[in-house]
């Protein structure tokens, strides 16, 4: 049996569930497993490229192991209020680690995937941009390597943020960018710094959909004293996406649906996950990110042009 991503992320899920205070509801969305038993179409050139760049990603499995250890350490905490001084230190650490956006939201049971739980009421959400030049080549080995690299970066960020908060006496459990207990695209929307597009990925002004996300669950209950993200002025993106539909037209497996459908009778989605999975053998695909206008164009210029064309 080869390497299994589902097995690799299972230990953190088990530890988070073991320590959970908030559990999913019957109406919560179903978590989709990673694609397995499909061999990637790697040629000799691809393998040589991976070997040449292995230094960028070889630490990824170790970040998953550290995530588990930090969740296990998150058993006792004494603080729920963060001071301005500690918050500034957290902000400096985020900037130092290359975080482009971060926010928070209060977790509801319906936000959590079925059969999952989280140990604290609040989620700090971190986003790091991916190299748009690499994605302009999608599907490609360069693009797939970039995804793996940013999975490492965001996983490492969640770990270091949780470690910092634990050292200050707060409850803090990292959830690696691989194997989330909740939908990370929606987490960006709930945290107020992005909007989910028709391709079911969060679009942010800084990076469009070309970014990856990780989360830290925390006991801090006064984050709204310091973070005031709002995506109210981004609501136009939903209308833009509805009129655009480029990701739907360009998807090679017809995985993006024209209209949302219900899964389990409760949860709307625009993605046919079985069809989407077919594309993963082709370098993980990534075409929907590549083709999204927000990946190649300026958010502000797209906004200006769209609002000008839709004045009435």
């Amino acid at each position: 049996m080869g390497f299994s991503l589902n097995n690799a992320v299972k230990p953190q899920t088990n530890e988070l569930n073991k320590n959970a205070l908030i559990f999913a509801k019957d109406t919560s969305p179903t978590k989709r497993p990673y694609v397995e038993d499909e061999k990637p179409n790697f040629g000799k050139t691809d393998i040589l490229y991976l070997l040449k760049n292995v230094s960028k990603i070889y630490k990824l499995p170790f970040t998953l192991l550290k995530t588990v250890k930090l969740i296990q350490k998150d058993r006792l905490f004494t603080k729920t209020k963060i001071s301005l001084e500690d918050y500034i230190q957290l902000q400096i650490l985020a900037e130092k680690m290359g975080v482009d956006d971060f926010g928070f939201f209060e977790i509801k049971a319906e936000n959590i995937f079925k059969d999952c739980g989280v140990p604290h009421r609040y989620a700090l959400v971190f986003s790091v941009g991916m190299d748009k030049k690499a994605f302009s080549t999608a599907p490609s080995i360069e693009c797939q390597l970039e995804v793996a690299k940013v999975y490492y970066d965001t996983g490492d960020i969640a770990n270091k943020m949780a470690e910092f908060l634990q050292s200050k006496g707060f409850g803090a459990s990292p959830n690696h960018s691989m194997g989330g207990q909740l939908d990370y695209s929606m987490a960006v929307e709930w945290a107020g710094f992005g909007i989910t597009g028709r391709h079911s990925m969060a679009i942010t002004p800084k990076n469009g959909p070309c970014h990856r996300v990780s989360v830290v669950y925390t006991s801090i209950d006064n984050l709204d004293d310091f973070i005031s993200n709002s995506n109210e002025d981004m609501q136009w993106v939903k209308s833009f996406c509805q009129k655009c539909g480029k990701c739907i037209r360009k998807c090679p497996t017809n995985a993006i649906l024209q209209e949302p459908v219900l899964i389990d009778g409760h949860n709307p989605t625009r993605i046919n996950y079985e069809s989407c999975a077919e594309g993963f053998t082709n370098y993980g695909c990534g075409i929907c990110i590549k083709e999204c206008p927000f990946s190649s164009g300026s958010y502000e210029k797209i906004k200006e042009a769209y609002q000008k064309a839709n004045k009435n």
Side-chain angles (χ1 to χ4, degrees), residues 94-114:
E95 291 172 359
K96 183 179 177 181
M97 296 195 70
V99 171
D100 287 317
D101 293 288
F102 75 96
F104 84 101
F105 68 95
E106 184 174 356
I107 302 165
K108 309 297 183 185
E110 54 267 27
N111 300 143
I112 307 167
F113 286 133
K114 280 182 181 173

Side-chain angles (χ1 to χ4, degrees), residues 73-206:
K73 283 181 64 179
D74 183 28
R75 290 292 186 266
L76 298 172
F77 60 91
T78 59
K79 295 168 69 176
T80 60
K81 306 285 184 188
I82 191 168
S83 67
L84 176 59
E85 181 183 0
D86 284 345
Y87 177 75
I88 289 173
Q89 288 185 50
L90 179 72
Q91 196 173 34
I92 290 170
L93 179 59
E95 291 172 359
K96 183 179 177 181
M97 296 195 70
V99 171
D100 287 317
D101 293 288
F102 75 96
F104 84 101
F105 68 95
E106 184 174 356
I107 302 165
K108 309 297 183 185
E110 54 267 27
N111 300 143
I112 307 167
F113 286 133
K114 280 182 181 173
D115 302 317
C116 292
V118 298
H120 300 290
R121 285 177 55 206
Y122 299 93
L124 273 165
V125 186
F126 305 95
S127 170
V128 174
M130 295 187 287
D131 184 353
K132 291 183 179 180
K133 185 177 179 181
F135 264 84
S136 70
T137 68
S140 69
I141 193 64
E142 293 91 342
C143 178
Q144 194 163 28
L145 186 78
E146 175 64 14
V147 172
K149 175 185 173 296
V150 180
Y151 271 135
Y152 163 73
D153 291 338
T154 45
D156 190 42
I157 286 165
N159 289 341
K160 284 188 169 61
M161 292 295 183
E163 202 166 29
F164 168 79
L165 292 174
Q166 286 181 8
S167 74
K168 296 293 184 178
F170 299 105
S173 281
N175 200 172
H176 200 281
S177 45
M178 298 175 67
Q181 299 288 88
L182 40 79
D183 184 328
Y184 282 168
S185 291
M186 288 305 303
V188 168
E189 188 163 318
W190 297 325
F193 61 86
I195 289 288
T196 305
R198 289 179 89 177
H199 39 42
S200 290
M201 286 174 289
I203 293 168
T204 70
K206 289 182 182 177

Side-chain angles (χ1 to χ4, degrees), residues 9-290:
V9 302
K10 200 176 216 179
Q12 71 167 328
T13 298
N14 291 341
E15 289 299 326
L16 286 167
N17 287 347
K18 191 186 300 182
N19 207 24
L21 296 177
I22 306 172
F23 293 91
K25 297 172 67 173
D26 290 341
T27 53
S28 294
T30 301
K31 186 175 183 176
R32 300 290 160 176
Y34 288 105
V35 178
E36 293 191 343
D37 301 322
E38 297 287 347
K39 292 183 179 180
N41 299 321
F42 286 174
K44 183 178 179 181
T45 304
D46 300 326
I47 293 170
L48 290 173
Y49 184 86
L50 281 174
L51 291 173
K52 184 178 178 181
N53 292 278
V54 71
S55 62
K56 296 179 181 179
I57 60 171
Y58 80 94
K59 291 182 180 179
L60 178 56
F62 299 102
T63 59
L64 282 161
L65 292 172
K66 187 167 185 180
T67 294
V68 173
K69 290 180 180 179
L70 287 166
I71 296 168
Q72 291 170 340
K73 283 181 64 179
D74 183 28
R75 290 292 186 266
L76 298 172
F77 60 91
T78 59
K79 295 168 69 176
T80 60
K81 306 285 184 188
I82 191 168
S83 67
L84 176 59
E85 181 183 0
D86 284 345
Y87 177 75
I88 289 173
Q89 288 185 50
L90 179 72
Q91 196 173 34
I92 290 170
L93 179 59
E95 291 172 359
K96 183 179 177 181
M97 296 195 70
V99 171
D100 287 317
D101 293 288
F102 75 96
F104 84 101
F105 68 95
E106 184 174 356
I107 302 165
K108 309 297 183 185
E110 54 267 27
N111 300 143
I112 307 167
F113 286 133
K114 280 182 181 173
D115 302 317
C116 292
V118 298
H120 300 290
R121 285 177 55 206
Y122 299 93
L124 273 165
V125 186
F126 305 95
S127 170
V128 174
M130 295 187 287
D131 184 353
K132 291 183 179 180
K133 185 177 179 181
F135 264 84
S136 70
T137 68
S140 69
I141 193 64
E142 293 91 342
C143 178
Q144 194 163 28
L145 186 78
E146 175 64 14
V147 172
K149 175 185 173 296
V150 180
Y151 271 135
Y152 163 73
D153 291 338
T154 45
D156 190 42
I157 286 165
N159 289 341
K160 284 188 169 61
M161 292 295 183
E163 202 166 29
F164 168 79
L165 292 174
Q166 286 181 8
S167 74
K168 296 293 184 178
F170 299 105
S173 281
N175 200 172
H176 200 281
S177 45
M178 298 175 67
Q181 299 288 88
L182 40 79
D183 184 328
Y184 282 168
S185 291
M186 288 305 303
V188 168
E189 188 163 318
W190 297 325
F193 61 86
I195 289 288
T196 305
R198 289 179 89 177
H199 39 42
S200 290
M201 286 174 289
I203 293 168
T204 70
K206 289 182 182 177
N207 295 305
C210 199
H211 61 106
R212 280 292 184 270
V213 175
S214 61
V215 166
V216 172
Y217 307 113
T218 182
S219 65
I220 302 171
D221 61 12
N222 67 325
L223 287 165
D224 54 354
D225 289 346
F226 308 103
I227 303 174
S228 57
N229 292 330
S230 173
N231 53 20
E232 285 303 309
D233 65 349
M234 290 188 67
Q235 296 302 316
W236 68 273
V237 173
K238 291 186 181 291
S239 298
F240 176 90
C241 288
Q242 197 63 31
K243 292 183 178 182
C244 174
K246 189 178 181 184
C247 58
I248 296 174
R249 296 191 301 273
K250 295 292 185 177
C251 178
T253 60
N254 298 312
I256 306 172
L257 308 175
Q258 288 286 346
E259 298 297 334
V261 297
L262 292 178
I263 294 180
D264 305 329
H266 302 289
N267 306 292
T269 181
R270 288 187 178 273
I271 301 296
N272 181 318
Y273 290 96
E274 287 72 24
S275 297
C276 184
E278 294 174 20
F280 275 77
T281 58
N282 191 15
Y283 300 106
C285 198
I287 288 176
C288 54
I289 294 178
K290 170 186 174 179

